[in-house]
Amino acid sequence: MGSDVFDVIISGGGPTGTMLAAELRLHGVDVVVVERDAEPTRLVRSLGLHQRSIEILDQRGLLERFLANGTQYPGGGRFAGIASPQPVALDTAHDYILGMPQPVTDRLLEEHAAELGAHLRRGTELIGFEQDDEGVTAELADGSRLRSRWLVGCDGGRSLVRRLLGIGFPGEAATNEWILGEGEVTAAADEVAAVSEVVRTTHRGFGIGPSGDGRYRAVVPAASVSEDRSTPPTLDEFRTQLRAYAGTDFGIHSLRSLSRFTDATRLAERYRDGRVLLAGDAAHIHPPLGGQGLNLGIQDAFNLGWKLAAAVRGCAPDGLLDSYFAERHPVADEVLTLTRAQSVLISAEPGAQAVRRLLTELMGFADVGRYLAERVAGIGIRYDFGDGPELLGRRLRDVRLSQGRLYELTRDGRGLVVDRTGALTVAGWADRVDYVSDRSDERSDDVSELIAEVDAPAVLLRPDGHVAWIGEEQQGLERELRRWFGAE
Ligand SMILES: Cc1cc2nc3c(=O)[nH]c(=O)nc-3n(C[C@H](O)[C@H](O)[C@H](O)COP(=O)(O)OP(=O)(O)OC[C@H]3O[C@@H](n4cnc5c(N)ncnc54)[C@H](O)[C@@H]3O)c2cc1C
């Protein structure tokens, strides 16, 4: 690989940037991630992963290492802190939430990208760039330059890449701010738990609980929305706010991290300008209600990776790269709708409380609980691939095929045809698309579950597991292979 010329530069080595780097490496793309921070952050923002992200980990062979580092909790059935009275069983082989502090998620994704050969340059800040017809020249804080064919801004909510492109970021400015800190406390564990429970009955934006290694993670509303959010809060400010809400600061000390976040809610007007793209928080921000931001970023990367790789390799069909925005912008918009709704539902205002009571009753209906749970979990997403059966455009859940598990067959990030007829072929696309015959042998126990899932002889899955075609005719298959994978 060349030292300072790459196919793709990713600005930002958070979960979105490293997931994208790994996805690009699956296709041999020469990618470098430039990350401003010299050391990984210890700040625990996200606390876990939802069902669709867990499926994605399984689709890339990462599940075991994530399970070994996390804790499984029952999934589904919770919205704005309201629990469904009955368990909601979702249509996934992984119906649980994986509890995991964000630094662990970040580390595991970074390791995965590095194992696949991505370069990560820490302590390297992007300060500007210029694009031309052939590529992008990135300017770094140390005065050096990097050249690439594409640049992706995965540089978080205050994305420099987005600002330099002048891409609009409409939405609502922050009206509330919270302080988030992690440290040790002198108060006894049962006292912390008891006080937290009482305070949360009136202030749902407050919370304190163990975060491992004897530490506690506390979130408390700030006194006001600060003018300059790049300045971290002080320990005094944190203690004052804890006392204001809980009547005690729990004797918090030896802080490991202290930061602020707000309820600002915004969505980028475009995710692409020429050879520069946006993904993750750089494209959308919202309060962390429902714990969706990191999940959304990983899923953006999963959608973009194979498309950008095809553009790099010169085999991307017309419109493929722009389908990234067409597919992911509505998904982010939907997440913003969910977080806006939850922001209202946790308010102490009488009107909001009345809506909360009503929703609590509605969530007693199994269909309502399922509807909300599916949306938060990210498994109900259906991209618009045109008219067709209900499953078209949806991700296929993991099913047992006559030759193993479906998700085990998708680890290389290629397209996949699962064929029950044995008569189809992907000849002409075999460098981009795998083929598996799913003809159950009636004399053995290896009966495929596919027929129960898809009532059709064959399916074409994109590298992100979404169903691109359902049918049995070779001609129809080839039309869709061309549409998603380019000419033979
Ligand atoms: C309190 C809180 C709780 C949360 N809980 C959850 C949760 O439970 N579940 C969930 O899914 N999400 C949660 N989130 C959201 C989640 O933390 C973010 O959505 C996620 O980190 C976004 O990932 P990202 O990679 O897009 O951006 P980031 O994680 O922000 O990473 C961006 C990276 O870019 C780097 N960078 C920035 N500018 C430059 C530059 N100019 N040059 C080089 N590098 C640069 C930064 O140093 C950073 O490492 C929470 C957020 C908060 C604040």
Side-chain angles (χ1 to χ4, degrees), residues 116-127:
L116 289 170
H119 306 268
L120 176 67
R121 294 195 187 175
R122 285 201 163 275
T124 306
E125 183 178 2
L126 180 90
I127 58 166

Side-chain angles (χ1 to χ4, degrees), residues 78 80-81 194-208:
R78 194 168 265 278
V195 172
S196 176
E197 199 182 323
V198 172
V199 180
R200 280 182 62 76
T201 56
T202 46
H203 296 289
R204 292 200 168 82
F206 174 92
I208 181 165

Side-chain angles (χ1 to χ4, degrees), residues 36-80:
R36 182 177 54 197
D37 291 348
E39 298 294 333
T41 176
R42 297 198 294 183
L43 183 64
V44 181
R45 289 184 288 165
S46 167
L47 292 175
L49 297 165
H50 290 298
Q51 290 86 338
R52 179 58 190 141
S53 302
I54 297 167
E55 287 184 345
I56 284 174
L57 297 174
D58 193 13
Q59 285 178 269
R60 292 298 182 261
L62 295 171
L63 188 61
E64 272 181 25
R65 71 171 80 170
F66 271 78
L67 290 182
N69 283 276
T71 311
Q72 293 180 47
Y73 297 103
R78 194 168 265 278
F79 191 73

Side-chain angles (χ1 to χ4, degrees), residues 7-8 20-31 149-150 152 277 301-317 320-321 412-414 432 463 484-485:
D7 293 327
V8 178
L20 179 61
E23 287 297 295
L24 290 167
R25 284 302 303 151
L26 286 176
H27 303 278
V29 171
D30 189 6
V31 55
R149 296 167 67 192
W150 299 89
V152 189
L277 295 123
F302 203 58
N303 183 287
L304 175 59
W306 63 280
K307 297 174 181 174
L308 184 55
V312 167
R313 291 167 64 186
C315 61
L320 183 70
L321 199 49
D412 296 334
R414 294 153 55 84
R432 285 152 277 172
W484 297 110
F485 299 95

Side-chain angles (χ1 to χ4, degrees), residues 160-388:
L160 177 76
V161 174
R162 186 190 67 237
R163 283 183 280 133
L164 291 179
L165 289 172
I167 291 180
F169 204 36
E172 298 93 60
T175 53
N176 292 290
E177 182 171 304
W178 290 265
I179 305 176
L180 168 66
E182 199 194 358
E184 292 170 35
V185 297
T186 54
D190 50 358
E191 182 196 335
V192 177
V195 172
S196 176
E197 199 182 323
V198 172
V199 180
R200 280 182 62 76
T201 56
T202 46
H203 296 289
R204 292 200 168 82
F206 174 92
I208 181 165
S211 60
D213 300 340
R215 290 193 183 78
Y216 277 79
R217 178 184 187 266
V219 180
V220 62
S224 61
V225 177
S226 49
E227 296 272 304
D228 176 12
R229 283 200 292 282
S230 58
T231 314
T234 62
L235 176 56
D236 266 355
E237 200 182 336
F238 189 34
R239 284 178 170 154
T240 303
Q241 289 311 107
L242 286 172
R243 284 196 294 268
Y245 279 82
T248 167
D249 61 18
F250 306 96
I252 198 149
H253 64 98
S254 307
L255 288 190
R256 182 178 160 126
S257 67
L258 192 61
S259 67
R260 44 176 112 244
F261 65 92
T262 73
D263 57 359
T265 302
R266 297 181 180 280
L267 179 56
E269 277 173 349
R270 290 175 290 135
Y271 286 9
R272 178 184 174 191
D273 183 312
R275 294 185 161 272
V276 186
L277 295 123
L278 300 175
D281 275 15
H284 34 71
I285 55 165
H286 54 82
L289 296 159
Q292 292 202 264
L294 181 148
N295 288 271
L296 196 55
I298 288 178
Q299 291 163 32
D300 281 351
F302 203 58
N303 183 287
L304 175 59
W306 63 280
K307 297 174 181 174
L308 184 55
V312 167
R313 291 167 64 186
C315 61
D318 283 350
L320 183 70
L321 199 49
D322 288 330
S323 73
Y324 163 61
F325 175 74
E327 291 170 3
R328 296 304 299 171
H329 186 267
V331 173
D333 199 26
E334 159 86 4
V335 169
L336 264 51
T337 298
L338 294 180
T339 54
R340 284 183 177 114
Q342 290 178 86
S343 296
V344 172
L345 287 165
I346 63 166
S347 155
E349 295 296 320
Q353 286 299 306
V355 177
R356 187 179 177 90
R357 279 194 296 277
L358 196 59
L359 185 70
T360 306
E361 285 169 30
L362 288 173
M363 283 175 69
F365 293 96
D367 284 352
V368 178
R370 168 179 298 279
Y371 178 89
L372 290 170
E374 260 188 12
R375 258 144 197 83
V376 173
I379 60 167
I381 293 165
R382 185 180 190 208
Y383 298 141
D384 182 6
F385 293 172
D387 292 340

